[in-house]
């Protein structure tokens, strides 16, 4: 990276084309992207910053355990930079209306207090309380707070969030679901079907009303289903529904990931669905939702009393990308798109293209022989917000050559 007056220039390999490019940006906006000659030494790949539509918590901080301090949300934001995530959706799940409003208000206040939080949060994802009350589809959501869609109640959530709710997961099995979905859609909110026991007919009605995504398809479901029809087949077959997936290696087997990827194509979206124990050491923990759980050294989180039942995901978008790459389920460009371009297009976020006029939100990384990638740098609004010092040691000589100086250095924001 080199700086010329107010302009910053980066030489890298574009993740989609495989071509060397020169990316210039003034402040927080990309000003030019031009072809560049191939250099003697290896240069990093460049790709858009990752987007995660489902973050329940991270590094011991839970967005659903009150009280939530603005400083904690700021910490999550900065920790996610270390995973290449530059835009994320804090996810508030089923709880009492009072506690849901308090959690939503906390995120709004953190955005008002800290500019980096405001810039990183693409919107709030409301996962519940309008979901299935049935065991299995309900998942870890507390049954006593599950209820049918209620527009007046939802408006109190919107007010508490300061208009930041941009996505809602609900089940269309309720009688008034279609009317509620239409109102959300007219209000510019993405409706996603999830935690559902809905019939195929109800799912079709929901799509006609405006639903456009399935939340973590294949999870939050009954352990046993009819061969056909069932709500998973119905969502898979519907061309108007995008599907988010958790590719942590535990929530879905590779065969299911492969089927979803092949059927949904560029309407597949990678999410982490991370809970507060993401980034924590293995051991036994007690969660506000789920009770006693065990985090294994392999990265699997399960219920302490029922090891066969998962208690959430403790992995990140970067982990999911690497799982898909190492298992041969995706090529590099497709794996990145699942966590950047595809969610950006679905939610109309202007951050997933390395092109003139777009925000300078991107990552630099290297691809290892094992196919997985190693994050090098994360840029947010044109500033380096994370740098992998170990990787920097190995590549500093390249930048010395590029700049023609032995004392060239990286400039990293605090």
């Amino acid at each position: 990276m080199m700086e010329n007056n107010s302009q910053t220039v980066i030489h890298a390999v574009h993740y989609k084309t495989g071509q060397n490019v020169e990316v210039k940006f003034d402040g927080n906006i990309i000003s030019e992207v031009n072809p560049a000659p191939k250099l003697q030494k290896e240069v990093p790949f460049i790709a858009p910053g990752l987007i995660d539509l489902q973050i329940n918590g991270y590094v011991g901080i839970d967005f659903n355990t009150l009280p939530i301090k603005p400083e904690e949300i700021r910490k999550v934001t900065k920790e996610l930079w270390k995973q290449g995530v530059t835009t994320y959706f804090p996810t508030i799940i089923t709880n009492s209306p009072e506690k849901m409003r308090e959690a939503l208000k906390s995120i709004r206040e953190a955005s008002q207090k800290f500019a980096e939080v405001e810039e990183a949060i693409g919107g709030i994802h409301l996962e519940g309380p309008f979901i299935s009350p049935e065991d299995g589809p309900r998942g870890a959501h507390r049954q006593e707070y599950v209820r049918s869609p209620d527009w007046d109640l939802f408006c109190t959530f919107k007010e508490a969030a300061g208009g930041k709710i941009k996505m809602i997961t609900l089940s269309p099995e309720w009688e008034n679901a279609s009317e509620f979905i239409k109102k959300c859609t007219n209000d510019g909110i993405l409706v996603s079907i999830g935690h559902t026991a809905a019939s195929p007919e109800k799912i079709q009605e929901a799509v006609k009303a405006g639903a456009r995504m399935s939340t973590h398809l294949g999870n939050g479901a009954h352990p046993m289903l009819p061969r056909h029809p069932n709500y998973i087949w119905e969502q898979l077959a519907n061309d108007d529904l995008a599907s988010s997936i958790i590719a942590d290696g535990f929530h879905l087997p590779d065969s299911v990931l492969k089927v979803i990827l092949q059927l949904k194509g560029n309407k597949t979206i990678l999410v982490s669905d991370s809970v507060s124990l993401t980034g924590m050491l293995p051991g036994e923990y007690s969660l506000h939702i789920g009770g006693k759980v065990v985090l294994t050294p392999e990265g699997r989180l399960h219920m302490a009393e029922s090891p066969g039942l998962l208690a959430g995901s403790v992995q990140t978008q970067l982990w999911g990308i690497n799982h898909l790459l190492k298992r041969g389920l995706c090529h590099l460009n497709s794996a990145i798109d699942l966590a950047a371009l595809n969610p950006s297009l679905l939610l109309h976020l202007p951050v997933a293209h390395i092109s003139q006029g777009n925000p300078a939100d991107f990552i630099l990384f290297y691809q290892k022989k094992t196919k997985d990638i190693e994050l090098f740098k994360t840029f947010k609004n044109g500033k380096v917000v994370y740098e992998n010092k170990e990787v920097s040691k190995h590549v500093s000589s390249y930048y010395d050559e590029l700049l023609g100086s032995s004392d060239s250095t990286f400039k990293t924001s605090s």
Side-chain angles (χ1 to χ4, degrees):
M1 182 175 76
M2 56 184 177
E3 297 181 2
N4 181 14
N5 296 324
S6 63
Q7 192 172 70
T8 305
V9 181
I10 288 179
H11 289 256
V13 176
H14 197 289
Y15 83 105
K16 282 188 83 73
T17 66
Q19 301 298 310
N20 283 58
V21 292
E22 182 183 73
V23 179
K24 299 180 180 179
F25 51 98
D26 293 305
N28 63 348
I29 300 296
I30 296 173
S31 56
E32 293 182 50
V33 180
N34 300 312
K38 189 171 183 179
L39 299 167
Q40 292 293 321
K41 295 190 178 182
E42 183 180 13
V43 296
F45 284 92
I46 188 169
L50 307 182
I51 299 169
D52 197 334
L53 302 185
Q54 204 160 355
I55 295 279
N56 304 283
Y58 197 57
V59 290
I61 297 166
D62 189 343
F63 292 142
N64 294 279
T65 300
L66 303 171
I68 311 167
K69 298 177 181 178
E71 292 75 15
E72 292 178 319
I73 299 175
R74 185 190 193 196
K75 180 181 179 181
V76 169
T77 300
K78 292 189 171 188
E79 290 293 324
L80 287 171
W81 289 338
K82 298 176 183 178
Q83 298 295 321
V85 175
T86 55
T87 302
Y88 72 99
F89 281 56
T91 301
I92 304 302
I93 75 168
T94 305
N95 208 329
S96 70
E98 297 76 20
K99 289 184 177 178
M100 291 182 73
R101 283 192 288 266
E102 184 178 344
L104 292 165
K105 183 180 178 183
S106 296
I107 295 170
R108 183 193 76 197
E109 291 175 346
S111 295
Q112 293 170 341
K113 186 172 183 178
F114 298 114
E116 58 265 54
V117 175
E118 172 67 18
E119 292 165 357
I121 291 179
I124 296 174
H125 178 177
L126 198 68
E127 189 183 4
F130 314 127
I131 60 171
S132 177
E134 293 188 24
D135 290 346
R138 192 181 72 255
H141 294 237
R142 295 176 64 177
Q143 188 173 30
E144 64 264 37
Y145 298 127
V146 172
R147 57 192 300 161
S148 63
D150 183 328
W151 182 252
D152 290 337
L153 174 61
F154 181 65
C155 286
T156 70
F157 293 155
K158 289 199 299 176
E159 182 179 1
K164 288 186 174 296
I165 298 174
K166 301 298 181 184
M167 178 177 173
I168 182 170
T169 292
L170 56 76
S171 173
E173 65 197 71
W174 302 95
E175 284 302 318
N176 60 337
S178 291
E179 179 184 353
F180 183 86
I181 291 169
K182 288 178 183 177
K183 289 182 177 179
C184 287
T185 301
N186 291 337
D187 206 33
I189 295 168
L190 174 71
V191 176
S192 187
I193 298 171
H195 290 283
T196 186
S199 66
E201 292 76 19
K202 285 290 186 182
I203 290 170
Q204 292 167 14
E205 288 177 15
V207 174
K208 288 180 182 178
R212 286 296 174 265
M213 194 176 107
S214 300
T215 294
H216 50 53
L217 188 62
N219 298 117
H222 292 99
M224 297 292 289
L225 286 171
R227 287 180 303 165
H228 42 72
N230 64 56
Y231 47 79
I232 292 180
W233 280 120
E234 192 63 35
Q235 291 175 84
L236 271 173
N238 196 302
D239 294 334
D240 291 325
L241 286 176
S243 292
S244 70
I245 54 171
I246 306 170
D248 61 355
F250 306 109
H251 275 76
L252 294 173
D254 289 353
S255 58
V256 175
L257 289 170
K258 184 175 182 179
V259 168
I260 295 174
L261 288 165
Q262 289 187 346
L263 281 174
K264 293 299 182 179
N266 61 9
K267 287 190 175 183
T268 313
I269 292 167
L270 185 67
V271 296
S272 69
D273 199 12
S274 69
V275 300
S276 61
L277 296 181
T278 308
M280 305 293 281
L281 294 173
E284 185 171 303
Y285 295 88
S286 181
L287 293 178
H288 171 67
I289 298 171
K292 288 186 178 180
V293 298
V294 175
L295 174 56
T296 71
E298 296 76 25
R300 184 178 187 271
L301 185 68
H302 64 78
M303 304 297 290
E305 296 182 358
S306 303
L309 296 178
L310 295 173
S313 170
V314 291
Q315 306 305 341
T316 64
Q317 290 287 66
L318 194 57
W319 174 290
I321 288 170
N322 282 337
H323 177 77
L324 295 171
L325 291 173
K326 287 187 289 187
R327 304 296 291 182
L329 296 170
C330 272
H331 294 298
L332 176 64
N333 60 336
S334 298
I336 295 291
D337 281 348
L338 295 176
L341 180 62
N342 297 358
S344 178
L345 292 175
L346 185 66
L347 282 139
H348 309 292
L349 302 172
V351 293
H353 289 281
I354 308 295
S355 58
Q356 182 179 356
N358 276 7
D361 286 14
F362 51 83
I363 56 174
L364 300 179
F365 64 89
Y366 289 88
Q367 188 168 25
K368 298 186 285 188
K369 291 181 179 180
T370 50
K371 298 298 183 183
D372 52 326
I373 67 176
E374 185 172 34
L375 185 64
F376 176 30
K377 279 177 172 285
T378 302
F379 287 74
K380 180 66 181 178
N381 284 329
K383 295 181 180 179
V384 181
V385 292
Y386 170 68
E387 177 182 351
N388 186 329
K389 301 292 185 180
E390 291 302 312
V391 175
S392 297
K393 293 177 184 177
H394 301 300
V395 300
S396 60
S397 59
Y398 150 68
Y399 288 96
D400 290 345
E401 178 182 290
L402 176 65
L403 297 176
S405 170
S406 60
D407 61 355
S408 62
T409 58
F410 292 106
K411 292 182 173 64
T412 305
S413 64
S414 57

